[in-house]
Protein backbone atom coordinates (compact mmCIF):
# COMPACT_ATOMS: atom_id res chain seq x y z
CA UNK A 1 0.00 0.00 0.00
CA UNK A 2 1.19 3.51 -0.75
CA UNK A 3 3.01 5.15 2.17
CA UNK A 4 1.68 8.71 2.38
CA UNK A 5 1.03 11.25 5.12
CA UNK A 6 -0.87 14.52 5.21
CA UNK A 7 1.53 17.25 6.33
CA UNK A 8 -1.05 20.03 6.11
CA UNK A 9 -4.72 18.99 5.94
CA UNK A 10 -6.91 20.87 3.50
CA UNK A 11 -9.68 22.98 4.99
CA UNK A 12 -13.02 23.43 3.15
CA UNK A 13 -13.73 26.94 4.35
CA UNK A 14 -14.40 30.25 2.61
CA UNK A 15 -14.20 33.84 3.73
CA UNK A 16 -15.85 37.14 2.85
CA UNK A 17 -12.33 38.56 3.00
CA UNK A 18 -11.17 36.34 0.13
CA UNK A 19 -9.56 32.97 -0.56
CA UNK A 20 -7.83 31.56 2.51
CA UNK A 21 -5.87 29.04 0.49
CA UNK A 22 -5.58 26.35 3.16
CA UNK A 23 -4.79 23.49 0.80
CA UNK A 24 -3.62 19.95 1.35
CA UNK A 25 0.09 19.20 1.37
CA UNK A 26 0.99 15.50 1.28
CA UNK A 27 4.21 13.55 1.74
CA UNK A 28 4.75 10.31 -0.18
CA UNK A 29 7.67 8.16 0.94
CA UNK A 30 9.31 5.59 -1.27
CA UNK A 31 12.49 3.62 -0.68
CA UNK A 32 14.63 6.05 -2.66
CA UNK A 33 12.46 9.18 -2.79
CA UNK A 34 10.73 11.73 -0.58
CA UNK A 35 7.93 13.22 -2.67
CA UNK A 36 5.88 16.28 -1.82
CA UNK A 37 2.48 16.96 -3.37
CA UNK A 38 1.79 20.72 -3.44
CA UNK A 39 3.38 23.21 -1.05
CA UNK A 40 0.79 25.44 0.60
CA UNK A 41 1.19 29.21 0.81
CA UNK A 42 3.38 31.71 2.72
CA UNK A 43 1.31 31.50 5.90
CA UNK A 44 1.89 27.72 5.97
CA UNK A 45 5.69 27.85 6.00
CA UNK A 46 6.42 27.27 9.67
CA UNK A 47 3.76 24.57 9.99
CA UNK A 48 5.06 22.86 6.85
CA UNK A 49 8.67 22.78 8.05
CA UNK A 50 7.56 21.66 11.52
CA UNK A 51 5.42 18.90 10.04
CA UNK A 52 8.32 17.66 7.92
CA UNK A 53 10.47 17.59 11.07
CA UNK A 54 7.90 15.31 12.71
CA UNK A 55 8.69 12.89 9.88
CA UNK A 56 12.45 13.34 10.48
CA UNK A 57 12.87 15.32 7.29
CA UNK A 58 14.29 18.72 6.38
CA UNK A 59 13.21 20.67 3.28
CA UNK A 60 16.46 19.82 1.48
CA UNK A 61 15.63 16.10 1.83
CA UNK A 62 12.60 16.46 -0.46
CA UNK A 63 13.85 15.34 -3.85
CA UNK A 64 10.63 15.44 -5.88
CA UNK A 65 7.93 18.12 -5.73
CA UNK A 66 4.73 17.70 -7.74
CA UNK A 67 2.62 20.84 -8.16
CA UNK A 68 -1.01 20.20 -9.09
CA UNK A 69 -1.53 23.66 -10.60
CA UNK A 70 0.03 27.09 -10.52
CA UNK A 71 -2.07 28.91 -7.93
CA UNK A 72 -0.51 30.65 -4.94
CA UNK A 73 -1.79 28.19 -2.33
CA UNK A 74 -0.24 25.22 -4.14
CA UNK A 75 3.02 26.70 -5.43
CA UNK A 76 4.31 29.54 -3.26
CA UNK A 77 6.51 27.42 -0.98
CA UNK A 78 8.30 25.68 -3.85
CA UNK A 79 11.42 27.73 -3.17
CA UNK A 80 11.81 26.01 0.22
CA UNK A 81 12.99 22.81 -1.48
CA UNK A 82 16.37 23.51 -3.10
CA UNK A 83 17.19 19.87 -3.89
CA UNK A 84 13.82 18.94 -5.34
CA UNK A 85 13.02 18.37 -8.98
CA UNK A 86 9.95 20.58 -9.30
CA UNK A 87 7.33 19.16 -11.64
CA UNK A 88 4.66 21.57 -12.92
CA UNK A 89 1.98 21.15 -15.57
CA UNK A 90 3.21 22.07 -19.04
CA UNK A 91 -0.27 23.39 -19.85
CA UNK A 92 -0.43 25.55 -16.72
CA UNK A 93 3.08 26.86 -17.34
CA UNK A 94 1.97 28.00 -20.80
CA UNK A 95 -1.16 29.45 -19.18
CA UNK A 96 1.08 31.68 -17.07
CA UNK A 97 3.95 32.49 -19.44
CA UNK A 98 1.63 33.32 -22.35
CA UNK A 99 -0.51 35.53 -20.05
CA UNK A 100 -3.61 33.46 -20.73
CA UNK A 101 -4.50 33.63 -17.04
CA UNK A 102 -5.16 37.37 -17.43
CA UNK A 103 -7.77 36.79 -20.15
CA UNK A 104 -9.33 34.12 -17.88
CA UNK A 105 -9.54 36.68 -15.06
CA UNK A 106 -7.64 34.33 -12.76
CA UNK A 107 -6.39 36.35 -9.76
CA UNK A 108 -4.59 33.52 -7.97
CA UNK A 109 -1.51 33.06 -10.19
CA UNK A 110 1.79 34.16 -8.53
CA UNK A 111 3.11 35.35 -11.87
CA UNK A 112 6.34 37.01 -10.69
CA UNK A 113 7.52 34.04 -8.65
CA UNK A 114 6.73 31.54 -11.40
CA UNK A 115 8.76 33.55 -13.89
CA UNK A 116 11.58 33.92 -11.36
CA UNK A 117 11.71 30.13 -10.85
CA UNK A 118 11.09 29.17 -14.50
CA UNK A 119 14.58 27.68 -14.99
CA UNK A 120 14.03 25.36 -12.03
CA UNK A 121 10.70 23.96 -13.21
CA UNK A 122 10.25 20.69 -15.09
CA UNK A 123 7.03 20.49 -17.17
CA UNK A 124 4.97 17.31 -17.09
CA UNK A 125 2.29 16.07 -19.49
CA UNK A 126 -0.81 13.95 -19.06
CA UNK A 127 0.07 10.35 -18.23
CA UNK A 128 3.76 11.01 -17.63
CA UNK A 129 5.37 8.88 -14.94
CA UNK A 130 6.84 11.22 -12.36
CA UNK A 131 8.53 8.48 -10.35
CA UNK A 132 8.02 4.75 -9.66
CA UNK A 133 4.32 4.16 -10.27
CA UNK A 134 3.19 7.75 -9.71
CA UNK A 135 1.70 9.26 -12.85
CA UNK A 136 0.41 12.71 -13.71
CA UNK A 137 -3.19 12.73 -14.86
CA UNK A 138 -4.74 15.76 -16.54
CA UNK A 139 -7.91 17.02 -14.83
CA UNK A 140 -8.53 20.42 -16.44
CA UNK A 141 -11.24 22.83 -15.45
CA UNK A 142 -10.15 24.76 -12.39
CA UNK A 143 -7.19 25.81 -14.55
CA UNK A 144 -6.32 24.40 -17.98
CA UNK A 145 -3.43 22.40 -16.55
CA UNK A 146 -4.86 21.25 -13.23
CA UNK A 147 -3.61 17.70 -12.70
CA UNK A 148 -3.60 14.92 -10.17
CA UNK A 149 -0.94 12.45 -9.13
CA UNK A 150 -2.20 8.88 -9.40
CA UNK A 151 -0.59 6.03 -7.50
CA UNK A 152 -1.19 2.76 -9.30
CA UNK A 153 -0.38 0.93 -6.08
CA UNK A 154 -3.51 1.38 -3.97
CA UNK A 155 -5.44 3.48 -6.48
CA UNK A 156 -4.77 6.69 -4.55
CA UNK A 157 -5.37 9.98 -6.36
CA UNK A 158 -3.88 13.20 -5.06
CA UNK A 159 -6.41 15.42 -6.79
CA UNK A 160 -5.47 18.99 -5.94
CA UNK A 161 -8.30 21.33 -6.80
CA UNK A 162 -9.78 18.98 -9.37
CA UNK A 163 -11.63 17.84 -6.24
CA UNK A 164 -11.69 20.68 -3.77
CA UNK A 165 -13.93 18.95 -1.24
CA UNK A 166 -16.16 15.91 -0.84
CA UNK A 167 -19.41 17.91 -0.82
CA UNK A 168 -18.81 19.33 -4.31
CA UNK A 169 -17.62 15.94 -5.55
CA UNK A 170 -20.72 14.16 -4.27
CA UNK A 171 -23.12 16.80 -5.65
CA UNK A 172 -21.32 17.11 -9.02
CA UNK A 173 -20.65 20.80 -8.37
CA UNK A 174 -17.72 22.28 -10.23
CA UNK A 175 -14.89 23.82 -8.25
CA UNK A 176 -14.27 27.47 -9.13
CA UNK A 177 -13.31 27.17 -12.79
CA UNK A 178 -11.15 29.65 -14.67
CA UNK A 179 -10.98 27.36 -17.70
CA UNK A 180 -14.07 25.09 -17.93
CA UNK A 181 -16.67 24.16 -15.33
CA UNK A 182 -18.02 21.52 -17.74
CA UNK A 183 -14.65 19.74 -17.93
CA UNK A 184 -14.25 20.07 -14.17
CA UNK A 185 -17.48 18.14 -13.59
CA UNK A 186 -16.62 15.56 -16.26
CA UNK A 187 -13.45 14.81 -14.30
CA UNK A 188 -15.51 13.44 -11.42
CA UNK A 189 -16.64 10.49 -13.52
CA UNK A 190 -13.07 9.74 -14.51
CA UNK A 191 -11.90 9.95 -10.91
CA UNK A 192 -14.56 7.51 -9.72
CA UNK A 193 -13.34 5.03 -12.34
CA UNK A 194 -9.63 5.21 -11.55
CA UNK A 195 -9.40 5.92 -7.81
CA UNK A 196 -10.39 4.28 -4.59
CA UNK A 197 -8.93 6.91 -2.25
CA UNK A 198 -9.05 10.62 -3.11
CA UNK A 199 -6.92 13.28 -1.45
CA UNK A 200 -8.76 16.57 -2.22
CA UNK A 201 -7.23 20.01 -2.49
CA UNK A 202 -9.21 21.50 0.40
CA UNK A 203 -10.68 18.67 2.45
CA UNK A 204 -9.77 15.46 4.23
CA UNK A 205 -8.92 12.28 2.26
CA UNK A 206 -11.86 10.02 1.58
CA UNK A 207 -12.59 6.57 0.20
CA UNK A 208 -15.02 5.94 -2.67
CA UNK A 209 -17.03 2.96 -1.48
CA UNK A 210 -19.65 2.97 -4.23
CA UNK A 211 -21.74 5.50 -6.18
CA UNK A 212 -22.65 8.37 -3.81
CA UNK A 213 -21.20 6.47 -0.86
CA UNK A 214 -18.01 7.87 0.63
CA UNK A 215 -16.05 7.50 3.82
CA UNK A 216 -13.57 9.99 5.28
CA UNK A 217 -10.27 8.49 6.33
CA UNK A 218 -9.69 9.06 10.03
CA UNK A 219 -7.00 11.19 11.61
CA UNK A 220 -6.67 14.09 9.17
CA UNK A 221 -9.05 16.81 10.36
CA UNK A 222 -7.56 20.28 10.78
CA UNK A 223 -8.04 22.28 13.95
CA UNK A 224 -9.02 25.90 13.36
CA UNK A 225 -8.66 28.60 15.98
CA UNK A 226 -9.74 32.19 15.37
CA UNK A 227 -8.11 34.82 17.55
CA UNK A 228 -9.96 38.09 18.09
CA UNK A 229 -9.17 41.16 20.14
CA UNK A 230 -10.93 41.47 23.50
CA UNK A 231 -13.76 43.97 23.36
CA UNK A 232 -11.99 46.37 25.74
CA UNK A 233 -9.10 46.65 23.27
CA UNK A 234 -11.24 47.59 20.27
CA UNK A 235 -10.97 51.31 20.93
CA UNK A 236 -7.18 51.11 20.84
CA UNK A 237 -7.08 49.89 17.25
CA UNK A 238 -9.73 52.13 15.68
CA UNK A 239 -8.47 54.58 13.11
CA UNK A 240 -8.80 58.24 14.12
Amino acid sequence: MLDFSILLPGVPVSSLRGALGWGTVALIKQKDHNILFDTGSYGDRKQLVDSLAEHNLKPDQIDILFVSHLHFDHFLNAELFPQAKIWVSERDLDYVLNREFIDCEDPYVPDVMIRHMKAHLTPYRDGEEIVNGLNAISLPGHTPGTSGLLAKDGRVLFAGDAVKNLWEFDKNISPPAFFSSELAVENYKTIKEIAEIVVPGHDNPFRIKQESCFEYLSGYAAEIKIQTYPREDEKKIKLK
Side-chain angles (χ1 to χ4, degrees):
M1 189 66 178
L2 186 73
D3 181 8
F4 77 93
S5 303
I6 303 299
L7 299 182
L8 298 179
V11 182
V13 63
S14 60
S15 164
L16 294 176
R17 171 69 184 268
L20 297 174
W22 292 340
T24 302
V25 179
L27 172 68
I28 306 165
K29 299 189 78 171
Q30 294 184 345
K31 182 179 178 180
D32 299 318
H33 299 287
N34 295 313
I35 304 149
L36 200 67
F37 179 88
D38 282 343
T39 75
S41 189
Y42 278 133
D44 295 320
R45 289 197 168 193
K46 183 179 187 306
Q47 289 88 342
L48 178 54
V49 172
D50 288 349
S51 189
L52 279 171
E54 292 175 4
H55 291 267
N56 299 311
L57 290 172
K58 297 179 180 179
D60 62 6
Q61 292 176 287
I62 298 297
D63 54 321
I64 295 174
L65 169 58
F66 183 94
V67 179
S68 63
H69 63 291
L70 291 173
H71 277 170
F72 77 96
D73 51 331
H74 300 262
F75 179 78
L76 272 183
N77 289 328
E79 63 181 1
L80 293 180
F81 306 99
Q83 302 303 319
K85 183 174 183 178
I86 304 173
W87 290 89
V88 302
S89 161
E90 180 180 62
R91 180 65 180 90
D92 255 18
L93 194 57
D94 288 342
Y95 176 64
V96 176
L97 299 181
N98 294 331
R99 317 293 284 177
E100 184 182 347
F101 74 95
I102 295 176
D103 293 334
C104 291
E105 299 182 357
D106 184 348
Y108 300 121
V109 172
D111 180 38
V112 173
M113 185 173 175
I114 292 166
R115 291 174 183 277
H116 175 71
M117 293 188 65
K118 178 184 174 183
H120 303 283
L121 307 179
T122 300
Y124 61 76
R125 296 182 179 181
D126 182 30
E128 184 166 357
E129 184 173 61
I130 304 303
V131 63
N132 300 340
L134 294 171
N135 290 69
I137 176 169
S138 179
L139 298 168
H142 181 59
T143 67
T146 293
S147 301
L149 186 62
L150 178 64
K152 296 179 181 178
D153 180 11
R155 296 183 69 210
V156 180
L157 175 67
F158 300 85
D161 285 359
V163 180
K164 293 200 76 171
N165 57 68
L166 176 53
W167 186 81
E168 290 180 350
F169 185 69
D170 182 30
K171 303 298 183 184
N172 282 320
I173 297 172
S174 169
F178 299 97
F179 183 63
S180 170
S181 57
E182 291 80 11
L183 285 176
V185 172
E186 286 180 20
N187 289 330
Y188 293 163
K189 180 179 179 181
T190 300
I191 291 167
K192 290 172 183 176
E193 292 173 349
I194 65 173
E196 178 182 347
I197 293 173
V198 177
V199 182
H202 295 267
D203 202 353
N204 300 323
F206 61 87
R207 186 185 307 275
I208 302 173
K209 301 187 74 174
Q210 58 189 49
E211 184 68 27
S212 296
C213 183
F214 309 97
E215 176 184 58
Y216 276 119
L217 303 189
S218 62
Y220 294 110
E223 180 180 8
I224 303 173
K225 294 182 179 179
I226 299 175
Q227 183 176 349
T228 58
Y229 289 101
R231 186 172 298 277
E232 58 269 20
D233 289 347
E234 288 183 355
K235 294 180 181 178
K236 299 179 182 179
I237 61 173
K238 285 184 177 180
L239 295 176
K240 296 181 179 180

